[in-house]
Amino acid sequence: MDVEASETADFLASVHPYDSLLPDELTRVAAAFRQVECEAGSNIYALGQRLEGLYIIAEGRVDVRDRNGAVVSILGPRNSFGERGLLRDGAAATTAVAQSATRLLLLPAEEFRRLIAARPAFARFFDRSRPTENRAPDLATTRIADLMTPGPVTCPPSATVAEVARTMRDRQVSCLLVMQETQLTGIVTNRDLVKRALAEGLSTDAPVTGVMTADPITLAPDALGSDVLHAMLERRIGHLPVVDGERVIGVVTQTDLTRHQAISSAHLVREIADAEDSQALALVVGRIPDLLAQLVGAGNPHWVVTRLITDIADAATRRLLRLAEERLGPPPVPYLWLACGSQGRQEQTGVSDQDNCLFLSENAIPEHDSYFEALARFVSDGLDACGYYYCPGEMMATTARWRQPVQVWRNYFSGWIRKPDPMAQMLASVMFDLRPIGGEVSLFRDVMSETLALAATNSIFVAHMVANALNHAPPLGLLRGFATIRSGEHKDTLDLKLNGVVPVVDLGRIYAIQGRLQAANTRTRLEVAQQSGIVSPSGGRDLIAAYDLIAETRLRHQVARVRTGEKPDNFMSPAALSDFERSHLRDAFVVVKTMQSAIAHGRAAVL
């Protein structure tokens, strides 16, 4: 294999679904690709043009545009495009333009169609057909051959702990198979290195046989995803070798299962992209509770689940924007639709309202507002029909105040920071979570960095933000109990949103302001705040662990309701938890309360 084909094979091994190919087939497929270099601004193909094959981005960015020239997708490395036209009549269904200098890999059309016909994983990944029934993604019935990572990394029994650790680091894997020639004798994971070597003070020169799991359980490639889940849960393991006869052909890990969930959510995104109206969108989005139950049931961490759920809301919003433009005609000036709140932070669960706004070009004039009011109404009505109910505070682009030229938005932000009254604090809290969803992204360029710089240097504003954040207190009662809701429909329950995750969200936002952190996602804010010294290593670790427990308890509660045929909500009775779970949840709330106290006294960095 020549150098170029070898580099292509290495690259494809990290791209789904090529990572499902066995090593020999991956080598053959890699040799079929050819490289294409594109200059910034050049067309890769135009609408209606005959497609040469499937494109994968190796380096650079690509805009995919519809027939009206509107950008429908901005793609980066490892994204593929062109499959829609290839699976129809071979003609491009969109226009693809290199946004920057871009290097592409082109898989010829014949080879692409052969893989679709021969490999179920390819057919499933690229299939745009609509299912005949409404059912949840089928991890449990998926063959392990379509889930596993082929070509496992191995080491001999004579390898030392240090050699194993370096190999895992260099190859970026979480396990090694210990092989005596062609015979599988054991498996060693990153967890083994921590628990059996590091924690026990074992010499780094010790042989791997002293820390590995000998004669590990294996599964055949025709076993099902349910077999993987059962084995992992029963034995509390996260890695399973896959053996075909006596030949080791791969490893299936918890990461592989997570990737499968991402593909399942991507299937919903594909259906959304093809939806003809808001009613069709609502049918797709209506499957979110089932997807939520599957993602949580498969053991995915909360930040993976909420990211995938939010991706569906993003796709629905972009589709509604395109449908609005088809109805209303092209916009009179460029615009950008942004989400705030949980969608802006990529933290949506099974129940969410909508919080959004419009940034308009500086060339906008009052006469243009009727167009953007109609566009905002169409999109917000469509989102409401999909289950993203109207914001009770009307924090939506349908309100004239929240669809304005960029300079007006800059004035909003600077005014709120200069005069931080309670209303300004509330508005600023929402707007610091802004994230572009669809339209001209350049309209948002530098706005957030400028605003963060202005806010971070205004100690009075930061103090007001801290005081506002302390209004959301964890539900801690006396005598190691919980402070539950005292009356009304949700009497004797905990509000896991308002008193659970929101206090941590508020802390993350303050850290972002203090450190001028661009991230909108709460967990990312906490991680970066810890890394940059805004909070101490110990305080950061405790807060992240507390947030993880609270957020995952909230998701498990929502899934429990879904499984009993109820709508997901945020109100959980403490009686639903075991004594052990209640104790740990209360400890998590104590951590949050402690960090709130620290930031109130200006001590976040020293905890």
Side-chain angles (χ1 to χ4, degrees):
M1 183 164 50
D2 62 33
V3 173
E4 183 176 301
S6 176
E7 291 176 349
T8 299
D10 289 343
F11 176 78
L12 293 175
S14 67
V15 179
H16 196 75
Y18 305 91
D19 57 358
S20 67
L21 297 175
L22 295 177
D24 289 347
E25 188 172 10
L26 178 63
T27 298
R28 189 192 62 76
V29 171
F33 277 87
R34 64 181 176 86
Q35 294 198 23
V36 178
E37 302 282 347
C38 302
E39 296 180 356
S42 62
N43 268 19
I44 299 164
Y45 58 71
L47 177 72
Q49 181 179 330
R50 200 74 186 167
L51 290 165
E52 296 183 58
L54 179 77
Y55 293 88
I56 304 176
I57 302 173
E59 297 173 1
R61 297 282 173 181
V62 171
D63 286 350
V64 177
R65 301 177 180 178
D66 64 14
R67 62 180 61 252
N68 298 314
V71 176
V72 296
S73 295
I74 300 174
L75 306 178
R78 290 180 171 77
N79 291 151
S80 55
F81 58 99
E83 70 274 10
R84 185 178 178 187
L86 289 172
L87 292 172
R88 290 167 50 177
D89 56 5
T94 55
T95 295
V97 180
Q99 189 185 81
S100 62
T102 300
R103 182 168 63 88
L104 304 170
L105 298 176
L106 174 62
L107 180 66
E110 322 80 70
E111 179 65 14
F112 171 72
R113 294 190 180 98
R114 188 198 69 79
L115 287 169
I116 289 289
R119 297 291 301 180
F122 275 78
R124 186 165 53 250
F125 185 78
F126 291 108
D127 182 19
R128 290 180 173 271
S129 62
R130 298 177 183 227
T132 57
E133 58 179 331
N134 184 11
R135 64 178 186 174
D138 56 346
L139 170 66
T141 57
T142 300
R143 293 172 64 251
I144 289 180
D146 293 325
L147 290 172
M148 71 178 189
T149 300
V153 183
T154 66
C155 70
S158 59
T160 66
V161 168
E163 289 169 343
V164 166
R166 283 194 292 269
T167 300
M168 291 171 67
R169 178 200 63 191
D170 296 342
R171 299 293 297 274
Q172 296 184 326
V173 294
S174 57
C175 73
L176 294 184
L177 299 187
V178 183
M179 306 287 293
Q180 182 70 56
E181 298 182 349
T182 61
Q183 182 69 35
L184 175 66
T185 63
I187 183 172
V188 58
T189 69
N190 47 15
R191 182 180 178 186
D192 294 329
L193 293 178
V194 172
K195 293 184 66 175
R196 298 176 180 174
L198 184 61
E200 296 298 329
L202 203 63
S203 168
T204 56
D205 293 325
V208 69
T209 50
V211 298
M212 75 179 188
T213 298
D215 300 319
I217 178 176
T218 64
L219 290 173
D222 59 352
L224 301 179
S226 57
D227 298 319
V228 178
L229 288 172
H230 295 165
M232 287 183 173
L233 292 172
E234 181 180 354
R235 293 168 175 80
R236 298 185 179 182
I237 57 178
H239 304 76
L240 278 167
V242 182
V243 177
D244 188 6
E246 296 184 357
R247 186 168 62 98
V248 178
I249 61 173
V251 175
V252 62
T253 70
Q254 289 178 339
T255 301
D256 295 319
L257 302 184
T258 299
R259 182 174 59 235
H260 177 80
Q261 312 309 331
I263 297 165
S264 298
S265 66
H267 187 80
L268 296 189
V269 170
R270 285 193 207 100
E271 291 187 50
I272 286 171
D274 291 333
E276 299 297 330
D277 52 38
S278 58
Q279 288 76 24
L281 278 174
L283 290 175
V284 181
V285 175
R287 287 151 57 189
I288 283 180
D290 288 337
L291 177 62
L292 177 71
Q294 188 221 15
L295 291 170
V296 174
N300 293 291
H302 70 91
W303 62 91
V304 171
V305 175
T306 54
R307 171 64 183 267
L308 296 178
I309 297 297
T310 305
D311 284 348
I312 296 171
D314 291 355
T317 304
R318 284 190 287 268
R319 182 58 182 157
L320 286 165
L321 287 169
R322 292 195 291 275
L323 292 173
E325 289 188 17
E326 289 176 8
R327 170 179 290 193
L328 301 172
V333 293
Y335 71 87
L336 176 63
W337 184 282
L338 302 99
C340 39
S342 60
Q343 185 182 0
R345 298 189 304 274
Q346 296 179 300
E347 293 166 7
Q348 287 190 313
T349 65
V351 51
S352 295
D353 64 352
Q354 54 175 293
D355 299 284
N356 46 62
C357 62
L358 274 173
F359 278 30
L360 306 179
S361 163
E362 291 298 347
N363 295 323
I365 58 176
E367 287 75 13
H368 295 156
D369 188 60
S370 59
Y371 176 94
F372 290 111
E373 180 183 15
L375 180 139
R377 178 60 58 189
F378 182 93
V379 175
S380 289
D381 287 351
L383 290 172
D384 183 70
C386 289
Y388 303 105
Y389 53 88
Y390 298 119
C391 173
E394 297 187 345
M395 184 72 67
M396 300 183 298
T398 51
T399 302
R401 186 181 188 185
W402 309 132
R403 55 173 192 274
Q404 293 292 333
V406 174
Q407 188 55 51
V408 174
W409 280 102
R410 283 191 161 96
N411 293 339
Y412 283 166
F413 286 126
S414 61
W416 295 336
I417 292 168
R418 286 196 307 270
K419 297 180 179 179
D421 59 32
M423 178 58 71
Q425 293 305 302
M426 187 275 291
L427 296 173
S429 294
V430 175
M431 293 303 173
F432 273 111
D433 298 343
L434 283 173
R435 183 170 60 88
I437 303 298
E440 183 53 62
V441 178
S442 65
L443 294 176
F444 191 60
R445 188 173 298 142
D446 300 329
V447 172
M448 189 52 65
S449 59
E450 293 170 5
T451 303
L452 285 168
L454 190 63
T457 56
N458 189 317
S459 58
I460 296 176
F461 174 78
V462 174
H464 276 273
M465 287 290 288
V466 169
N468 186 62
L470 298 181
N471 290 329
H472 300 129
L476 290 169
L478 299 176
L479 303 177
R480 291 195 58 78
F482 293 111
T484 57
I485 297 172
R486 295 183 178 181
S487 61
E489 178 185 358
H490 303 295
K491 185 176 183 292
D492 297 328
T493 65
L494 301 173
D495 187 337
L496 292 175
K497 177 182 178 181
L498 189 62
N499 302 114
V501 299
V502 167
V504 187
V505 168
D506 289 341
L507 286 171
R509 189 181 298 114
I510 292 168
Y511 299 151
I513 294 170
Q514 292 176 328
R516 307 185 189 188
L517 312 179
Q518 293 278 350
N521 178 264
T522 297
R523 198 175 193 278
T524 303
R525 283 171 167 172
L526 299 182
E527 291 173 337
V528 177
Q530 179 188 8
Q531 294 163 6
S532 57
I534 298 169
V535 295
S536 71
S538 59
R541 281 195 302 269
D542 287 348
L543 185 57
I544 291 170
Y547 179 54
D548 289 346
L549 179 61
I550 296 166
E552 287 172 5
T553 300
R554 179 192 185 199
L555 288 180
R556 287 197 301 270
H557 163 72
Q558 292 189 3
V559 167
R561 290 183 61 86
V562 170
R563 288 173 175 161
T564 58
E566 301 173 285
K567 289 185 177 180
D569 67 15
N570 295 302
F571 302 98
M572 184 193 72
S573 169
L577 301 174
S578 67
D579 289 344
F580 179 84
E581 290 169 328
R582 282 197 295 272
S583 176
H584 279 265
L585 183 60
R586 192 182 190 282
D587 288 345
F589 289 143
V590 169
V591 169
V592 177
K593 184 68 174 177
T594 302
M595 295 301 285
Q596 285 184 322
S597 178
I599 202 168
H601 294 88
R603 294 185 289 107
V606 297
L607 272 181

